[in-house]
Amino acid sequence: MIGTSQVALALLILAAVFTVARAVRPSSSTGDRAVALDMATSVIQCGLFVGAVILGDGILVDIALVLGLLGFLTSVTVARFLERADR
Amino acid sequence: MIVRNITLLVVWVAMWGELNVANVASGVLMIAALSVLFPTDDRRARLAHRVHPLGVLRFGGRLFVDLVVSSWNVAMAVVVPNADRIHTEVFDVALTTTSPLVAVVVSNSITLTPGTMTVDIIETDRGFALRVHALGRAEPVSFREQILELERRVVAAATPVGIPADGARAAIEHNVEPPRDGSAS
Amino acid sequence: MSTVVDIATAALFLIGAALAVIAGVGLHRLGDTRSRMHAATKPATLGVLCCAVGAALQSDSSALVTKLLLAMALQLVTAPVGAHMLARSITRRDEQHPPTTS
Amino acid sequence: MNALLAIPLAVPLVGAAISIIVRRLTVQRVVSFIALATSLAASIAIVATVVIDDSIAVTRLGGWPAPVAITLVADRLSALLLVVAVAMVSLVLAFAIGQRAADERSPFYHPVYLVLCAGIAQAFLAGDLFNLFVAFELLLMASYVLLTLEGTDSQIRSGTTYVVLNVVESTVLLTAIGLIFAATGTVSMADLPARLAELPDGVRSGLNLLLLVAFGIKAAVFPLFFWLPDAYPTAPSSVTAVFAGLLTKVGVYAMLRTETLLFPGGHSTLLLWIAGATMIIGVLGAISHSEMKRILSFHIVSQIGYMVMGIGLGGEAALAATVFYLLHHIPVKTSLFLVQGIIERDTGSTFFRDVGGLARRSGPLAVLFLLPALSLAGLPPFSGFLAKYGLVRAGFDGQSYVIVGVALLASLLTLVSMTKIWTGVFWGDVHPAADAERRGLLRRYPLMSGSAVVLVGGTLAIAALAGPLYAYCVGAGAQLVDPSVYIEAVLRP
Amino acid sequence: MSASLVVLIAVLFGTGTYLLMHRTLTRIVLGVAMLGNGVNVLILATGGRQGEPPIVGREGATDPVPQALVLTAIVIGFAVVAFLLALAWRNWTISGNDAVEDDVEDRLIARAGADGERRSDVHHHEDVDL
Amino acid sequence: MSRRSVILDEADRWLFPVIVMVSVYVTFRGHNAPGGGFAGGLITGCAFVLRFLAGNDLRIRRSVIARPDRLIGAGMLLAVATALSPVLLGDSLLESNIWKLQVPLIGEVKVVSSAIFDLGVYFLVIGVVLAILLALGTDPSEPVLEREAT
Amino acid sequence: MTALVLAHFVVAVVVLAFTRARPVIGAVIGCVLFATTAVTIAILGIGVDQQRVETWRWIDDLGLQMAFRLDGFAVMMVLIVSVIGALVLAYSIAYFDHDETFVLFVGLFVAFAGSMTGLVLSSDLFTMFVFWELTSVWSFLLIGLNDRSAQARTAALRALLVTGGGGLCLLAGVALFQVLAGTSSFAELAADPPVGTTATVAAILVLVGAFTKSAQFPFHFWLPGAMAAPTPVSAYLHSATMVKAGIVLMARMSPIFGDLDVWRWMVVLSGGTTMILGGVRAMRQVDAKLLLAFSTVSQLGFLTMLVGLGVPGATYAGVAHLVAHAVFKAGLFLGVGVVDHATGTRDIRKLNGLWREMPMVTALMCLAGASMAGLIPLFGFATKEKALVALLDADVGFVGWVALGFVTVGSVLSAAYTVRLLRGLFATKPTTRDSAQEHMAHLHHAPGWLLVGPMASFAVASLAAGLAAGVVGGWLVAAGTSLDLDVASKLALWPGINTALGISVAVVAVGAVVGWRVPVTEPPHHPAVSGERIFQRTFDGLIEGSKRITVVTQSGSLLAYLAVVMSVVAAVLGVAIFTDPGAGFGELVVADSPVQLAVSVVAIVFAFAVVLARDRFVSALLIGGVGFGCAVIFAMFGAPDLALTQVLVETLSIVVFLLVLRQMPRRFAADPTWAPQAIRIAISTAVGVSVAAFAVMVSGARSAPSVGEVYGELSLPEAGGNNIVNVILVDFRGVDTLGEITVLAVAALGVTNLVRMALRNRKPVEDTDSETAQPDRADDAGSADRSSAGGRRP
Ligand code: NA
Ligand code: NA
């Protein structure tokens, strides 16, 4: 069980690497980067759920909850200001 | 309002993780305080929806299936891309509903369902029109039909009641008192 | 019983993580920003749900389960909102300033 | 005792909270007055306690035992600085109200000013290194806001320099404190000395130096002083006055405290080098400028050098002289800025090209400038001379002849720059733009002049009462030299 | 101590310092934020060993004190960044750029002190994109 | 094209109270699990960010706290007063008390005075976020440049 | 005594505060005060067995006290100060007439007299120093009395800085004596003189102080400049009293240190050079007042040699000549003032045949002049004669003969410049150039009795004292005795025919010839090298140099400041690391967990991406990435509270960043190169590496357990919470949190304020009726409504 979770974590790290790569690639547009950050919060949530099981710690779920509730705000903010800023 | 408040109460109790007097009482207090401090005095609040629990469940189940299918589709587009799978297109689809809630739920569901993503909601004189971004080849007619089907399912879960379309929109846009011919919840 | 649950959890975790990886790859493989958002929204959301369910299966307290359910519900509500807003701004911008190159 | 030590930091915060809520000017003024008066009374009571009991006053916040609780500690040094600071802050507030600029322009002046006061009080009383950091942040954030209160072009430009450098200072300080915790497992200043003593030399010296850098920026010593002369001249005089008098001295205080309590005997040669360079470079900066506020700002830097010299010399006599120097310098510097404020209020500028002949227009104002100016330049019989003499003597006692020579040279150069102000502002032709017929300058701004007069009177009183005051400082020096007194007072169950 | 955190600390401090040394206030604020992160990681990483969350009753809990210190530091860091950004905003509304300009009086002294030796004030304006 | 978004509007309508509830939850259980007034206040702040981004009115409909700085002041007052109250009783600043109350239907409720302190923190932080939002959210479509860059 | 001194200051304040309208009243009060002082001191001090002593302890811990003693020398000096003061003050009533600065003059004059009285009464070096510096200040203000004149300002400054600098030497000397002997009292120092190199240095420092005050070479140059002051000031401060302070000091100190070789040589070389130099320069002057100034310089050199040599007879002669000089020089100055007042000029080229027009003044001036030249039967003759005798008898070896040489040559010059002065002022001279004729000054109005009276007193006193030299000399024995001298022989009008008399006669004869032969019509001579110029060049160099240094130290560039600060950080840590790396490096592991490693890499990548980003929005997003990375690290580390807070703060930070950045251009401007990129990178790398390395070092050094353990034990039972971090925040370290939220609150107020100010500047019209007006400041929600309602659309 824990072993599989470790594998899952490894996969999540891989996902994170892809996500980060999108965020920092010079060719990315601002939108891309915002998408990547959005995606990063999802990956972190996954990681927190898996981590909650590995560590047997419900506390991490709380963080995941808040992250899920508020993670979209970054995207929305970027979206809101992107139109204007690019004018 | 009732729907919303009950939803909030459920959220509150779920958060504390235990159904007991203390949690319900504090939840009621909490919701009362919220209503006092942040009254939704928008005219929109007068829009009511009748919720059908069975419809909600059916909609939820369908949404889950759609999510799985769409994830699969994206996965295929990513893992084994071909011209059809990575083709993109933008459609405008006019909804029949006049309820913003329904429009929003439809729009969100579209985003979670196979191959589509709402990129804009346009309010027209006749209701809401969605601008949808589609990943993969789609046939326009059936595509629209799919979305209208989705809308029907949403309406079956939460039916807007009592307010004529134009009145509601006028109320939203011009902030005037809407005609009082419907019941408000 | 617990073995079954364990296997289910393991599977859900692996699926969730794999979905996240696919979403991550999609961020690179797909052609334009809006296409990439498909990847970021759908598989990623499903991934989160899978992991949440997996965690819920392992939890021994009802409080944690309800909290996880709440987290899932919120994820379903918020993820499309963020995606939509981004897509909207990109669409509107592209309409105002049609991309000239690439 | 519990209540007494808490008041100077808590009551201004209550006042700040009230005047954030209530924007009515009269209410804000009354609240500020009550809060500061209460603080002042408490501070005086603290000094009385410290002197009468001949002990160190300690309160353990939250009632927890000593190493756990954050303690507020008032030894002679802290108590003295507390009284001086609160008195100064109160007088400058009266001045500011008289200036009719600051608090009428922004409803945030009073709350922020009170927070500044609370921060200063907390910095002097903190018995915990991290709490000291928080106090610094408190007074710094308040100072950022006060410095940019009017949001003018020049305020923003120099405010930016000030804010950024002080933020960097905070970062260094926080790093140092974090690493001190890492090395010792505590941030209580009474708990630290024993644990620090066990550390390897490299670690201890690094931590000490890091703290010195942080406090050095705050105190504006060479080569970390440059933010000060750029930032101070742009703020309203009432703000600059309190900054000039107090903020750098908080840095000096922190240096004094940590160098005596936490790292006794460390880096004294380095400190003397820094002291000498600070004195000379600072006063040369003053000489090079032709605007009163700039010159006075550079003087601050130079004078800090004297205090660092005292810290570097170490020993009871030198530390006593340093404490007396602090006691003298705060009101003197503040009063000079108040005089500057009066001139600026009347003429709109203190550039030498814009003013002149003020001695003829207002003799009393000239006297009001001359007394603290001569004091700052270290001429007898004023307090500045006595402070300087104490340091010189301590330097000779320790056979540190070079630094004494530098100090005396700097003192002469200070005189040069003071005469520059005197000849540029008070002598010469009355500037054509000024209304030469408008005499009775002081009577025109009663509240401003009143606070300046009280303050200058205070500086004279320091000289007159130098005997008992110096004895007090010697007591403070003795407490500083022997950290065990402090440690026992705090850790005593 | 974990080497990966050490490297992270080095990078955060290094990049933070680098960003500070610019004329553009935005970059300076970024540098401040970066340094803030660096200090937070530093305090946590040096203050104790990785472990369980410090909740009463848990075995092998990590030291709570560095966490309390860092929490305070995070808040203060946020306050500072917000204020600096407001300064940048004000700077922008005043001058149309967010460059930190040199002190006027100091430059005058420089000019008087060494006429012609130094180049005159350079005013920097942002090249507007798009 | 409208700058408002129906989706964001609805999200605000439904999520705002949810976020506030989460914040209250996080605040009150902070003493026993991660959270506390600061985190709670920030979460409510995020709710206001959502409301702000949706283009909706940020006001709180009670005049006492109509202005964010009043909220700041109230929170600060609550926190300082809690800290200072033991001093009036001769104890030291921030001395904490634990009261156990019997509430009908609910049973014993433990109230720690530091929780009141935390509540002050909560309100203050909300006020801070609101103040910053209101200030820096000034509509940039009205140019505020005082002098044009030359 | 103290009361008398204080009375001066009180009177000064009263005069300045209350006699603005009628300054003459102030002057009269001053004269009364001086007279009272003279009488009181005479009663208290003359013929009294028990010397009056008053001591006021000031700072016991530093051994500082204000100590006065009324010995014979003090009595003599106080009488000089107050009697001359009264006469000069009376004279000034007429001199100033209706000048607006008169009241200021009177106030400062009285204050000066008070300080001078205190100085001469001091029985402690420290006490003397206090008054010493005060006299410098009054002198500064009095020289600058005519502050509109740039020349006066410069002269005042020069005088202040030279005497002030000397004062610092004196201060150092005082402090050294305090350290060496534990006292600065003259009596105690004399009783047990400190010895050794340090003591010698201290004595030299004191001597240098005395030299500056008494205008001894090489500090002599400030005195002639001080003649920019009104004549009464010159007569009183810069000839009769203040410049004698150095002589007084030497008189007090030379019995203690006079037998030091270095002391003697310094005194003789400096005093002798001054005497000659002053005399030579006096011969080059055409302004009578300047001529007198240089003559004063010369005479001060003479006095320095006499008093400083530490030979009892010479000192006694010096004390006597001090009196003689004070009297005749005051008379001469006032006389020049009379001429100036009457003719409007002091230029001896423009004055011709004035003796006809003011014979009375001429006669009086001749009397005073004769005393200066050392003619019998004037007092100056007796004192100079005594000096020559003393020098001839002095048994101090070569240095004594050198002194005698200087005195002889100097006396020739004295006679010469006296002749030049008197001839220039009053005699009928053959005019060589016609053009000069029309510039010739003539008497405008006859001088009144108030002008002539005081001057006549001095002239007559010179004669009377000369005639009664024996009696006066007897009085002066008391002064000599109080200086610890064994006075062997007193003054006498006719000393009998001896070597000294021979020298005197020769000197006067040669001097008279020289004085007559040097033409008075020559333009004033400015020597290529003069102290004045050196001083000015030094001063200008100081100003210029300070500017150059300040340009470097205070560049005004935030960039440079930050570079310095960060370099210092890196440097100090580097020093610490190389001192002793410690054990920390051995305890490094790659990472606590693979996730930690991965997330660290992620955060590092984001950090570099922020550096490379050229787009404002993007950089804000990327720094958010760094923040989220740190949050994950916190969560992994066992710090969920931190992680939660970090996530929230990061989210809000991005929002705030974007709120601000949306208004700016998307792309960063190219940063103008302040320094090569390499330097920036080098500093950054150094900071990063040194901080991290030091962190490793520190982490290996922990020896004691953390206080965190105690918190853990107390948390639940005592503070009622399970979450230790939160309990620490709201309870154990609640005051930190209180401070922290206040910081937050203030920051929010600051942000609001900045925006308010921007909006106010934008809308000045609306501003006047809403923002600044009092009612709006009050508690209406109007401003909040306006700023929050409706219009908030991003
Ligand atoms: Na001027
Ligand atoms: Na400036």
Side-chain angles (χ1 to χ4, degrees), chain D residues 351-357 423-425 427 429:
Chain D
F351 277 94
F352 297 165
R353 57 173 183 266
D354 299 334
V355 290
T423 52
V425 173
W427 274 356
D429 288 317

Side-chain angles (χ1 to χ4, degrees), chain D residues 154 157-158 230 233-234 294, chain E residues 103-105:
Chain D
S154 63
R157 186 177 43 242
S158 58
D230 283 353
T234 54
R294 286 258 168 186
Chain E
D103 187 272
V104 178
E105 285 304 309

Side-chain angles (χ1 to χ4, degrees), chain D residues 210-280:
Chain D
L210 216 47
L211 273 186
L212 275 180
V213 171
F215 296 145
I217 298 174
K218 173 150 270 346
V221 303
F222 179 84
L224 308 165
F225 64 87
F226 13 64
W227 56 271
L228 191 151
D230 283 353
Y232 282 9
T234 54
S237 299
S238 55
V239 172
T240 315
V242 88
F243 282 21
L246 290 173
L247 291 203
T248 48
K249 258 54 83 189
V250 177
V252 174
Y253 163 79
M255 224 184 248
L256 194 51
R257 177 67 75 209
T258 50
E259 288 307 300
T260 54
L261 181 62
L262 305 186
F263 302 98
H267 299 293
S268 51
T269 317
L270 176 71
L271 281 171
L272 289 181
W273 276 100
I274 291 174
T278 308
M279 288 174 201
I280 297 293

Side-chain angles (χ1 to χ4, degrees), chain D residues 332 335-336 339 367-377 418 456 459:
Chain D
V332 165
S335 60
L336 283 170
V339 171
V367 173
L368 224 44
F369 169 78
L370 197 61
L371 294 176
L374 294 176
S375 181
L376 199 76
M418 277 303 177
V456 172
T459 67

Side-chain angles (χ1 to χ4, degrees), chain G residues 376-708:
Chain G
I376 199 164
L378 286 116
F379 193 47
F381 167 79
T383 55
K384 190 186 286 181
E385 196 60 22
K386 179 74 194 129
L388 287 172
V389 170
L391 286 177
L392 283 167
D393 293 348
D395 185 20
V396 291
F398 184 55
V399 69
W401 296 109
V402 173
L404 185 63
F406 276 129
V407 169
T408 312
V409 178
S411 299
V412 171
L413 289 165
S414 299
Y417 56 65
T418 308
V419 171
R420 179 181 173 86
L421 175 76
L422 297 175
R423 175 172 177 245
L425 282 174
F426 302 109
T428 310
K429 288 156 286 190
T431 44
T432 46
R433 267 165 271 154
D434 299 23
S435 57
Q437 198 60 47
E438 54 199 66
H439 298 295
M440 279 299 163
H442 291 283
L443 194 64
H444 298 312
H445 44 81
W449 64 270
L450 206 50
L451 277 175
V452 178
M455 144 197 197
S457 317
F458 291 123
V460 170
S462 293
L463 178 63
L467 292 173
V471 181
V472 177
W475 295 343
L476 291 177
V477 170
T481 313
S482 67
L483 291 176
D484 210 12
L485 299 179
D486 180 19
V487 182
S489 61
K490 296 193 293 178
L491 287 182
L493 180 60
W494 180 249
I497 294 175
N498 56 18
T499 327
L501 185 66
I503 295 175
S504 278
V505 172
V507 156
V508 170
V510 175
V513 173
V514 172
W516 200 264
R517 293 298 299 259
V518 174
V520 293
T521 50
E522 274 189 10
H525 175 77
H526 294 293
V529 180
S530 70
E532 207 167 319
R533 284 193 195 182
I534 293 170
F535 175 86
Q536 200 56 46
R537 222 167 285 157
T538 314
F539 190 77
D540 294 345
L542 173 68
I543 303 278
E544 197 53 36
S546 72
K547 280 184 182 160
R548 280 171 190 272
I549 290 173
T550 305
V551 167
V552 177
T553 57
Q554 192 73 21
S555 64
S557 158
L558 177 59
L559 233 75
Y561 298 166
L562 287 169
V564 173
V565 169
M566 296 322 272
S567 308
V568 169
V569 169
V572 297
L573 291 180
V575 168
I577 292 163
F578 286 112
T579 310
D580 174 14
F585 291 96
E587 295 168 13
L588 279 181
V589 294
V590 175
D592 295 324
S593 68
V595 178
Q596 191 189 57
L597 176 64
V599 179
S600 301
V601 171
V602 165
I604 289 169
V605 170
F606 270 119
F608 280 113
V610 174
V611 168
L612 296 173
R614 307 238 69 87
D615 178 307
R616 286 197 161 81
F617 259 52
V618 169
S619 58
L621 289 178
L622 292 174
I623 196 131
V626 177
F628 284 124
C630 291
V632 175
I633 289 174
F634 295 158
M636 302 288 307
F637 205 86
D641 273 291
L642 276 191
L644 180 62
T645 311
Q646 174 83 0
V647 163
L648 293 167
V649 163
E650 246 5 276
T651 305
L652 279 170
S653 293
I654 294 178
V655 172
V656 179
F657 257 107
L658 295 185
L659 273 176
V660 170
L661 298 186
R662 70 189 158 142
Q663 311 191 32
M664 301 180 185
R666 286 288 302 277
R667 297 187 69 78
F668 289 117
D671 215 66
T673 42
W674 150 78
Q677 185 74 347
I679 290 186
R680 269 193 255 207
I681 292 175
I683 294 175
S684 313
T685 313
V687 170
V689 171
S690 61
V691 169
F694 189 62
V696 175
M697 234 172 101
V698 167
S699 72
R702 170 81 67 89
S703 55
S706 161
V707 285

